[in-house]
Amino acid sequence: MSWQKLTLYMMVLSALAFHGTCADSEQTCDAESPCEGADSEEQDVGCGCSALNRQKSGETVESEKEKYRSDHVSQIDEATYPRTNQMVLLKGDTFTMGTDEPKIPLDGEYPTREITLDSFYFDVYETTNAEFEHFVNATGYVTEAERFGDSFVLEARISEEVKKDITQAVAAAPWWLPVKGADWRHPEGPDTDIKARMDHPAVHTSWNDAVEYCQWAGKRLPTEAEWEFAARGGLKNRLFPWGNKLTPKGEHRMNIWQGTFPTENTAEDGYAGTAPVTSFPPNKYGLYNTVGNAWEWVSDWWTVNHEPTPQSNPTGPASGNDKVKKGGSYMCHLSYCYRYRCEARSQNTVDSSAANLGFRCAADKLPDNIECNNC
């Protein structure tokens, strides 16, 4: 079967997929007891986070002069939260990107293609609140969520007091609510803070915010190909950075949703929200939390059409409407967002932000004053 015919075939199958149940029964799926045939394309197509886009980009953003300010008060306690801006050198190589057995075909997870990359550096950890704080302290940068005045938060994590003033929801995913005052410093709204979460990923960061941070740090966002190469950790045709078993030997290896989404997270992996970026074992390249915890922006514009021919250092389309994000988050669950896999992908507009959306950086050259873990 040609890849073009496979594309059409997979799109039809995806359109027939039934949300949250097996296609031929009323059996409920969950992360530990997947439906019979859960490795097929009969999977739900999302938890709604790709719908969290600003309706009119920039309409309510303050003037450009408000992008930076000097009245921020630092919350960093470096004795408690040491730097986590280390990188690893990933030597140039050829790897297989994508899959020929897509779980969510409409996301463009297929076909497989041979990708050759030059050597590059990659952040060991997701960008933390503490690292983002260093950036804000140095520049006075104000994130887009702060300038818009709101960002998206899962309803189950919002206080009843804050909920009283919310009158809107995301139609395609009503568990997502726009919360005034939600931003990277206030992850679940104005009555929350990050004082005990400085080693957690900085969330509510838009693609534009991530680019600003990476440039300040002497880095850049990784391409999607670089990100997937790094996440796979040298393994080929595996679902996760460690293999195909979700919980090898009964051990949790990432921070995702357990229980019934979106109403009950049993937090069997130890976390109901984000986790410290040092949590869980690293992959074979020494990288932590490339799947689960927080979605991570990459530099590519979104497309679902991929040529199966070999490519070198691909950077994606020249333009588009959305940017790609990779890795899934603590909100991902088999029945609603089976995107905590290496080849999985989703998208948002460049100014979108949410409580499960963060980033990490890459670089062509090791920046000054950055430690390389394997150089």
Side-chain angles (χ1 to χ4, degrees):
M1 181 182 294
S2 71
W3 74 271
Q4 291 94 340
K5 289 182 179 179
L6 176 66
T7 297
L8 179 61
Y9 174 68
M10 292 302 184
M11 288 177 70
V12 172
L13 285 174
S14 182
L16 295 174
F18 191 85
H19 290 238
T21 63
C22 297
D24 58 355
S25 76
E26 293 300 319
Q27 176 190 357
T28 300
C29 306
D30 63 36
E32 290 301 324
S33 302
C35 292
E36 183 70 20
D39 285 340
S40 74
E41 48 280 323
E42 296 172 352
Q43 292 295 319
D44 176 78
V45 296
C47 64
C49 56
S50 62
L52 307 182
N53 299 321
R54 303 288 182 189
Q55 292 302 308
K56 294 183 179 180
S57 180
E59 184 180 63
T60 61
V61 179
E62 297 174 16
S63 65
E64 187 69 16
K65 67 180 181 181
E66 297 298 330
K67 187 174 178 180
Y68 299 94
R69 66 187 185 203
S70 58
D71 60 349
H72 173 61
V73 178
S74 176
Q75 300 182 51
I76 303 175
D77 176 0
E78 292 194 25
T80 305
Y81 299 108
R83 299 301 296 266
T84 54
N85 58 350
Q86 298 89 350
M87 306 190 84
V88 295
L89 173 62
L90 299 180
K91 295 184 178 180
D93 204 350
T94 298
F95 82 109
T96 302
M97 184 175 180
T99 179
D100 288 328
E101 298 178 352
K103 304 298 185 283
I104 309 177
L106 289 178
D107 280 356
E109 298 176 356
Y110 66 98
T112 56
R113 54 264 190 209
E114 294 302 301
I115 303 294
T116 300
L117 296 173
D118 293 337
S119 298
F120 64 99
Y121 294 89
F122 197 76
D123 280 352
V124 173
Y125 307 104
E126 296 163 309
T127 302
T128 63
N129 287 316
E131 292 300 328
F132 201 76
E133 182 92 359
H134 282 290
F135 161 59
V136 171
N137 287 346
T139 64
Y141 183 76
V142 182
T143 63
E144 291 197 289
E146 292 170 285
R147 283 179 276 149
F148 275 107
D150 62 18
S151 191
F152 291 97
V153 182
L154 178 67
E155 180 180 9
R157 296 188 59 77
I158 305 169
S159 70
E160 293 302 319
E161 186 65 25
V162 169
K163 283 183 195 176
K164 286 194 282 187
D165 296 325
I166 299 175
T167 58
Q168 296 176 305
V170 179
W175 46 85
W176 279 111
L177 300 179
V179 177
K180 292 186 182 300
D183 54 51
W184 72 279
R185 293 190 187 90
H186 309 97
E188 289 82 48
D191 56 350
T192 62
D193 60 51
I194 56 172
K195 291 178 182 177
R197 288 186 264 183
M198 296 302 285
D199 56 351
H200 288 225
V203 293
H204 296 290
T205 46
S206 70
W207 186 89
N208 291 325
D209 297 332
V211 168
E212 291 271 355
Y213 172 93
C214 291
Q215 289 177 346
W216 167 80
K219 305 177 182 181
R220 58 173 173 78
L221 283 176
T223 65
E224 182 176 8
E226 289 173 335
W227 189 99
E228 190 168 323
F229 173 77
R232 290 186 180 278
L235 299 184
K236 185 177 180 179
N237 297 326
R238 295 294 183 268
L239 292 172
F240 312 120
W242 55 86
N244 283 330
K245 283 199 168 187
L246 180 64
T247 53
K249 298 181 180 179
E251 297 178 358
H252 290 281
R253 295 292 184 93
M254 60 180 159
N255 178 19
I256 57 174
W257 191 283
Q258 291 90 40
T260 304
F261 185 85
T263 56
E264 180 191 19
N265 187 351
T266 57
E268 293 163 33
D269 57 23
Y271 305 97
T274 56
V277 300
T278 54
S279 303
F280 306 103
N283 70 6
K284 290 186 177 181
Y285 288 162
L287 307 174
Y288 290 75
N289 291 290
T290 52
V291 291
N293 213 25
W295 281 101
E296 299 180 17
W297 290 111
V298 297
S299 61
D300 300 41
W301 289 106
W302 173 260
T303 183
V304 296
N305 300 312
H306 310 291
E307 292 290 337
T309 53
Q311 301 172 54
S312 295
N313 301 308
T315 57
S319 61
N321 296 318
D322 296 334
K323 288 290 188 176
V324 179
K325 60 183 182 180
K326 297 282 285 185
S329 79
Y330 66 90
M331 287 179 57
C332 284
H333 185 279
L334 177 66
S335 67
Y336 263 90
C337 187
Y338 189 32
R339 292 183 174 92
Y340 43 89
R341 295 167 289 112
C342 296
E343 66 267 17
R345 55 205 303 271
S346 189
Q347 88 281 7
N348 280 113
T349 56
V350 297
D351 56 3
S352 296
S353 60
N356 65 343
L357 182 52
F359 66 97
R360 79 176 78 202
C361 306
D364 299 311
K365 177 183 177 182
L366 187 69
D368 294 339
N369 304 316
I370 298 294
E371 179 184 341
C372 177
N373 283 8
N374 66 341
C375 298

